[in-house]
Amino acid sequence: MSGVFDISVMTDFAASHIIHGHPGKCARLHGHNWKVEACVRISSDSLNEIGIGIDFKDLKIILREVVDVLEHRHLNDIKPFDKINPTAENVSKWIYSELSRLLLEKNIQASVQFLALWENDRSCVKYSEK
C-alpha cells in the first residue's frame, strides 16, 4: 500500500510593511520577525535508496531562497506588494506560490500542502490550495 509523507520545515525573516486602508495601527510603518512553516507532501513511493523523500536541509535551502527576497526589506517596495497590500494573507500566498514554482523548477516531486506565516507568537495565517 502506498502512502504519503508530509514534511515540514521552518525559517524566519525580518521585514517591515504598511497595510494601506487598515483602520488601526497597521496603517503605519511597522515590522515583524516573521516565522514561516512550509509543509510539503511526497509519495512514499518516491523515497530514495536510503529512505529519504526530500532532505530537511534541502527543503530549508529552497524555502530560504524564497524568503531571502523579503529579508530586511520593506515589503511594500517588492513586487507584487508594490501593487497589492502586503498582508499576512497575501505574503503567505506569495511564498506558497514561489516555493511551489521552485520545487517544480528543481524537478522535486513534492507538492506544497500549506504555508503558515506568523507575524508574532500569537498570530498566524495558513494558506493552501488543496
mmCIF file of all heavy atoms in Angstrom, residues 13-17 19 22 26 30-36 75 86-91 116-125:
data_model
loop_
_atom_site.group_PDB
_atom_site.id
_atom_site.type_symbol
_atom_site.label_atom_id
_atom_site.label_comp_id
_atom_site.label_asym_id
_atom_site.label_seq_id
_atom_site.Cartn_x
_atom_site.Cartn_y
_atom_site.Cartn_z
ATOM 1 N N PHE A 13 12.256 35.512 8.839
ATOM 2 C CA PHE A 13 12.831 36.691 8.201
ATOM 3 C C PHE A 13 12.283 37.927 8.909
ATOM 4 O O PHE A 13 11.236 37.868 9.555
ATOM 5 C CB PHE A 13 12.530 36.734 6.692
ATOM 6 C CG PHE A 13 11.075 36.929 6.337
ATOM 7 C CD1 PHE A 13 10.572 38.190 6.026
ATOM 8 C CD2 PHE A 13 10.203 35.857 6.301
ATOM 9 C CE1 PHE A 13 9.241 38.370 5.688
ATOM 10 C CE2 PHE A 13 8.861 36.025 5.956
ATOM 11 C CZ PHE A 13 8.385 37.288 5.657
ATOM 12 N N ALA A 14 13.007 39.016 8.798
ATOM 13 C CA ALA A 14 12.572 40.288 9.369
ATOM 14 C C ALA A 14 12.233 41.225 8.218
ATOM 15 O O ALA A 14 12.988 41.314 7.243
ATOM 16 C CB ALA A 14 13.677 40.883 10.230
ATOM 17 N N ALA A 15 11.073 41.892 8.323
ATOM 18 C CA ALA A 15 10.662 42.820 7.269
ATOM 19 C C ALA A 15 9.612 43.785 7.811
ATOM 20 O O ALA A 15 8.888 43.465 8.757
ATOM 21 C CB ALA A 15 10.095 42.053 6.071
ATOM 22 N N SER A 16 9.537 44.935 7.167
ATOM 23 C CA SER A 16 8.529 45.929 7.527
ATOM 24 C C SER A 16 7.449 45.973 6.448
ATOM 25 O O SER A 16 7.647 45.479 5.331
ATOM 26 C CB SER A 16 9.169 47.313 7.669
ATOM 27 O OG SER A 16 9.664 47.758 6.421
ATOM 28 N N HIS A 17 6.320 46.568 6.804
ATOM 29 C CA HIS A 17 5.261 46.792 5.828
ATOM 30 C C HIS A 17 4.288 47.842 6.346
ATOM 31 O O HIS A 17 4.316 48.227 7.511
ATOM 32 C CB HIS A 17 4.540 45.499 5.439
ATOM 33 C CG HIS A 17 3.782 44.817 6.536
ATOM 34 N ND1 HIS A 17 2.808 43.877 6.301
ATOM 35 C CD2 HIS A 17 3.832 44.922 7.887
ATOM 36 C CE1 HIS A 17 2.301 43.441 7.443
ATOM 37 N NE2 HIS A 17 2.914 44.057 8.421
ATOM 38 N N ILE A 19 0.035 48.425 5.885
ATOM 39 C CA ILE A 19 -1.212 47.877 5.341
ATOM 40 C C ILE A 19 -2.109 49.058 4.985
ATOM 41 O O ILE A 19 -2.756 49.652 5.849
ATOM 42 C CB ILE A 19 -1.903 46.932 6.348
ATOM 43 C CG1 ILE A 19 -0.943 45.838 6.824
ATOM 44 C CG2 ILE A 19 -3.172 46.343 5.739
ATOM 45 C CD1 ILE A 19 -0.408 44.940 5.746
ATOM 46 N N HIS A 22 -5.936 50.003 6.302
ATOM 47 C CA HIS A 22 -6.220 49.382 7.603
ATOM 48 C C HIS A 22 -6.747 50.457 8.557
ATOM 49 O O HIS A 22 -6.206 51.564 8.589
ATOM 50 C CB HIS A 22 -4.952 48.737 8.169
ATOM 51 C CG HIS A 22 -5.193 47.899 9.374
ATOM 52 N ND1 HIS A 22 -5.298 48.424 10.639
ATOM 53 C CD2 HIS A 22 -5.366 46.557 9.497
ATOM 54 C CE1 HIS A 22 -5.516 47.448 11.498
ATOM 55 N NE2 HIS A 22 -5.556 46.303 10.825
ATOM 56 N N CYS A 26 -1.872 49.273 12.031
ATOM 57 C CA CYS A 26 -1.171 48.600 10.926
ATOM 58 C C CYS A 26 -1.088 49.458 9.662
ATOM 59 O O CYS A 26 -0.370 49.121 8.727
ATOM 60 C CB CYS A 26 -1.822 47.260 10.614
ATOM 61 S SG CYS A 26 -1.630 46.074 11.954
ATOM 62 N N HIS A 30 5.483 49.548 10.194
ATOM 63 C CA HIS A 30 5.839 48.677 11.312
ATOM 64 C C HIS A 30 6.504 47.423 10.761
ATOM 65 O O HIS A 30 6.468 47.166 9.562
ATOM 66 C CB HIS A 30 4.609 48.318 12.157
ATOM 67 C CG HIS A 30 3.592 47.489 11.438
ATOM 68 N ND1 HIS A 30 2.755 47.995 10.465
ATOM 69 C CD2 HIS A 30 3.305 46.174 11.535
ATOM 70 C CE1 HIS A 30 1.972 47.030 10.008
ATOM 71 N NE2 HIS A 30 2.294 45.909 10.633
ATOM 72 N N GLY A 31 7.130 46.657 11.635
ATOM 73 C CA GLY A 31 7.832 45.464 11.182
ATOM 74 C C GLY A 31 7.546 44.265 12.046
ATOM 75 O O GLY A 31 6.957 44.377 13.122
ATOM 76 N N HIS A 32 7.957 43.117 11.541
ATOM 77 C CA HIS A 32 7.777 41.846 12.240
ATOM 78 C C HIS A 32 9.022 40.997 12.075
ATOM 79 O O HIS A 32 9.752 41.126 11.095
ATOM 80 C CB HIS A 32 6.599 41.050 11.663
ATOM 81 C CG HIS A 32 5.297 41.742 11.700
ATOM 82 N ND1 HIS A 32 4.551 41.883 12.847
ATOM 83 C CD2 HIS A 32 4.592 42.364 10.715
ATOM 84 C CE1 HIS A 32 3.435 42.537 12.575
ATOM 85 N NE2 HIS A 32 3.442 42.848 11.292
ATOM 86 N N ASN A 33 9.218 40.110 13.016
ATOM 87 C CA ASN A 33 10.137 38.998 12.853
ATOM 88 C C ASN A 33 9.240 37.822 12.477
ATOM 89 O O ASN A 33 8.712 37.134 13.338
ATOM 90 C CB ASN A 33 10.927 38.740 14.130
ATOM 91 C CG ASN A 33 11.904 39.850 14.410
ATOM 92 O OD1 ASN A 33 12.591 40.318 13.506
ATOM 93 N ND2 ASN A 33 11.960 40.298 15.643
ATOM 94 N N TRP A 34 9.016 37.662 11.198
ATOM 95 C CA TRP A 34 8.091 36.673 10.658
ATOM 96 C C TRP A 34 8.679 35.268 10.803
ATOM 97 O O TRP A 34 9.872 35.072 10.624
ATOM 98 C CB TRP A 34 7.840 36.926 9.181
ATOM 99 C CG TRP A 34 7.440 38.310 8.791
ATOM 100 C CD1 TRP A 34 8.243 39.413 8.696
ATOM 101 C CD2 TRP A 34 6.143 38.739 8.393
ATOM 102 N NE1 TRP A 34 7.516 40.492 8.264
ATOM 103 C CE2 TRP A 34 6.226 40.114 8.068
ATOM 104 C CE3 TRP A 34 4.908 38.093 8.267
ATOM 105 C CZ2 TRP A 34 5.133 40.842 7.628
ATOM 106 C CZ3 TRP A 34 3.820 38.836 7.828
ATOM 107 C CH2 TRP A 34 3.926 40.181 7.515
ATOM 108 N N LYS A 35 7.811 34.299 11.076
ATOM 109 C CA LYS A 35 8.199 32.886 11.055
ATOM 110 C C LYS A 35 7.414 32.225 9.929
ATOM 111 O O LYS A 35 6.241 32.525 9.723
ATOM 112 C CB LYS A 35 7.859 32.194 12.373
ATOM 113 C CG LYS A 35 8.666 32.690 13.546
ATOM 114 C CD LYS A 35 8.263 31.959 14.809
ATOM 115 C CE LYS A 35 8.874 32.640 16.018
ATOM 116 N NZ LYS A 35 8.314 32.128 17.263
ATOM 117 N N VAL A 36 8.065 31.319 9.237
ATOM 118 C CA VAL A 36 7.459 30.638 8.100
ATOM 119 C C VAL A 36 7.572 29.135 8.299
ATOM 120 O O VAL A 36 8.667 28.628 8.534
ATOM 121 C CB VAL A 36 8.157 31.019 6.773
ATOM 122 C CG1 VAL A 36 7.485 30.343 5.589
ATOM 123 C CG2 VAL A 36 8.207 32.527 6.593
ATOM 124 N N LEU A 75 8.329 45.466 2.594
ATOM 125 C CA LEU A 75 7.569 44.626 1.662
ATOM 126 C C LEU A 75 6.818 45.437 0.611
ATOM 127 O O LEU A 75 6.667 44.981 -0.530
ATOM 128 C CB LEU A 75 6.604 43.721 2.432
ATOM 129 C CG LEU A 75 7.265 42.739 3.407
ATOM 130 C CD1 LEU A 75 6.215 41.866 4.077
ATOM 131 C CD2 LEU A 75 8.324 41.898 2.722
ATOM 132 N N PRO A 86 0.657 44.129 1.378
ATOM 133 C CA PRO A 86 1.463 43.044 1.930
ATOM 134 C C PRO A 86 0.894 42.538 3.261
ATOM 135 O O PRO A 86 1.553 42.549 4.292
ATOM 136 C CB PRO A 86 2.838 43.697 2.102
ATOM 137 C CG PRO A 86 2.527 45.135 2.375
ATOM 138 C CD PRO A 86 1.300 45.435 1.552
ATOM 139 N N THR A 87 -0.357 42.103 3.213
ATOM 140 C CA THR A 87 -0.986 41.499 4.386
ATOM 141 C C THR A 87 -0.376 40.122 4.610
ATOM 142 O O THR A 87 0.239 39.537 3.703
ATOM 143 C CB THR A 87 -2.502 41.343 4.180
ATOM 144 O OG1 THR A 87 -2.721 40.477 3.045
ATOM 145 C CG2 THR A 87 -3.179 42.693 3.942
ATOM 146 N N ALA A 88 -0.550 39.581 5.790
ATOM 147 C CA ALA A 88 -0.056 38.226 6.062
ATOM 148 C C ALA A 88 -0.667 37.237 5.071
ATOM 149 O O ALA A 88 0.013 36.311 4.611
ATOM 150 C CB ALA A 88 -0.376 37.829 7.501
ATOM 151 N N GLU A 89 -1.934 37.454 4.725
ATOM 152 C CA GLU A 89 -2.595 36.564 3.768
ATOM 153 C C GLU A 89 -1.907 36.611 2.408
ATOM 154 O O GLU A 89 -1.585 35.573 1.817
ATOM 155 C CB GLU A 89 -4.084 36.941 3.616
ATOM 156 C CG GLU A 89 -4.915 36.651 4.847
ATOM 157 C CD GLU A 89 -4.893 37.746 5.912
ATOM 158 O OE1 GLU A 89 -4.091 38.709 5.804
ATOM 159 O OE2 GLU A 89 -5.668 37.646 6.865
ATOM 160 N N ASN A 90 -1.674 37.825 1.894
ATOM 161 C CA ASN A 90 -1.045 37.955 0.578
ATOM 162 C C ASN A 90 0.405 37.495 0.586
ATOM 163 O O ASN A 90 0.867 36.888 -0.387
ATOM 164 C CB ASN A 90 -1.144 39.401 0.087
ATOM 165 C CG ASN A 90 -2.540 39.767 -0.363
ATOM 166 O OD1 ASN A 90 -3.325 38.910 -0.750
ATOM 167 N ND2 ASN A 90 -2.862 41.045 -0.290
ATOM 168 N N VAL A 91 1.124 37.756 1.660
ATOM 169 C CA VAL A 91 2.525 37.311 1.739
ATOM 170 C C VAL A 91 2.597 35.793 1.809
ATOM 171 O O VAL A 91 3.423 35.164 1.137
ATOM 172 C CB VAL A 91 3.254 37.973 2.933
ATOM 173 C CG1 VAL A 91 4.663 37.404 3.089
ATOM 174 C CG2 VAL A 91 3.298 39.493 2.773
ATOM 175 N N ALA A 116 2.367 28.324 6.497
ATOM 176 C CA ALA A 116 1.944 29.067 7.678
ATOM 177 C C ALA A 116 2.906 30.231 7.874
ATOM 178 O O ALA A 116 4.122 30.051 7.815
ATOM 179 C CB ALA A 116 1.933 28.174 8.915
ATOM 180 N N LEU A 117 2.331 31.409 8.072
ATOM 181 C CA LEU A 117 3.128 32.619 8.260
ATOM 182 C C LEU A 117 2.713 33.280 9.559
ATOM 183 O O LEU A 117 1.553 33.618 9.758
ATOM 184 C CB LEU A 117 2.908 33.572 7.084
ATOM 185 C CG LEU A 117 3.699 34.870 7.103
ATOM 186 C CD1 LEU A 117 5.195 34.599 6.979
ATOM 187 C CD2 LEU A 117 3.229 35.790 5.980
ATOM 188 N N TRP A 118 3.684 33.427 10.442
ATOM 189 C CA TRP A 118 3.459 34.019 11.769
ATOM 190 C C TRP A 118 4.015 35.433 11.782
ATOM 191 O O TRP A 118 5.180 35.641 11.481
ATOM 192 C CB TRP A 118 4.173 33.198 12.837
ATOM 193 C CG TRP A 118 3.666 31.807 12.971
ATOM 194 C CD1 TRP A 118 3.982 30.727 12.191
ATOM 195 C CD2 TRP A 118 2.745 31.333 13.937
ATOM 196 N NE1 TRP A 118 3.316 29.620 12.630
ATOM 197 C CE2 TRP A 118 2.544 29.961 13.703
ATOM 198 C CE3 TRP A 118 2.068 31.943 14.997
ATOM 199 C CZ2 TRP A 118 1.701 29.194 14.476
ATOM 200 C CZ3 TRP A 118 1.232 31.177 15.774
ATOM 201 C CH2 TRP A 118 1.049 29.811 15.505
ATOM 202 N N GLU A 119 3.188 36.409 12.156
ATOM 203 C CA GLU A 119 3.674 37.778 12.360
ATOM 204 C C GLU A 119 4.294 37.925 13.748
ATOM 205 O O GLU A 119 5.169 38.749 13.948
ATOM 206 C CB GLU A 119 2.527 38.784 12.232
ATOM 207 C CG GLU A 119 2.112 39.053 10.819
ATOM 208 C CD GLU A 119 1.179 40.234 10.717
ATOM 209 O OE1 GLU A 119 0.608 40.686 11.730
ATOM 210 O OE2 GLU A 119 1.020 40.722 9.590
ATOM 211 N N ASN A 120 3.806 37.131 14.680
ATOM 212 C CA ASN A 120 4.328 37.117 16.041
ATOM 213 C C ASN A 120 3.965 35.764 16.653
ATOM 214 O O ASN A 120 3.419 34.903 15.954
ATOM 215 C CB ASN A 120 3.784 38.294 16.874
ATOM 216 C CG ASN A 120 2.279 38.308 16.940
ATOM 217 O OD1 ASN A 120 1.645 37.298 17.249
ATOM 218 N ND2 ASN A 120 1.680 39.448 16.648
ATOM 219 N N ASP A 121 4.238 35.575 17.922
ATOM 220 C CA ASP A 121 3.995 34.272 18.557
ATOM 221 C C ASP A 121 2.521 33.930 18.712
ATOM 222 O O ASP A 121 2.185 32.798 19.054
ATOM 223 C CB ASP A 121 4.667 34.223 19.930
ATOM 224 C CG ASP A 121 6.179 34.176 19.823
ATOM 225 O OD1 ASP A 121 6.699 33.766 18.765
ATOM 226 O OD2 ASP A 121 6.848 34.550 20.808
ATOM 227 N N ARG A 122 1.646 34.901 18.489
ATOM 228 C CA ARG A 122 0.225 34.668 18.718
ATOM 229 C C ARG A 122 -0.650 34.798 17.476
ATOM 230 O O ARG A 122 -1.848 34.557 17.546
ATOM 231 C CB ARG A 122 -0.284 35.655 19.790
ATOM 232 C CG ARG A 122 0.417 35.507 21.131
ATOM 233 C CD ARG A 122 0.198 36.685 22.066
ATOM 234 N NE ARG A 122 0.478 38.000 21.504
ATOM 235 C CZ ARG A 122 1.704 38.525 21.322
ATOM 236 N NH1 ARG A 122 2.772 37.830 21.627
ATOM 237 N NH2 ARG A 122 1.852 39.736 20.821
ATOM 238 N N SER A 123 -0.072 35.205 16.348
ATOM 239 C CA SER A 123 -0.869 35.493 15.154
ATOM 240 C C SER A 123 -0.285 34.819 13.924
ATOM 241 O O SER A 123 0.853 35.094 13.532
ATOM 242 C CB SER A 123 -0.939 37.005 14.913
ATOM 243 O OG SER A 123 -1.462 37.665 16.040
ATOM 244 N N CYS A 124 -1.095 33.958 13.312
ATOM 245 C CA CYS A 124 -0.630 33.142 12.184
ATOM 246 C C CYS A 124 -1.724 33.038 11.140
ATOM 247 O O CYS A 124 -2.916 33.012 11.456
ATOM 248 C CB CYS A 124 -0.276 31.752 12.712
ATOM 249 S SG CYS A 124 0.010 30.494 11.460
ATOM 250 N N VAL A 125 -1.322 32.949 9.890
ATOM 251 C CA VAL A 125 -2.236 32.635 8.797
ATOM 252 C C VAL A 125 -1.674 31.410 8.078
ATOM 253 O O VAL A 125 -0.462 31.267 7.947
ATOM 254 C CB VAL A 125 -2.414 33.837 7.827
ATOM 255 C CG1 VAL A 125 -1.113 34.215 7.167
ATOM 256 C CG2 VAL A 125 -3.492 33.557 6.795
#
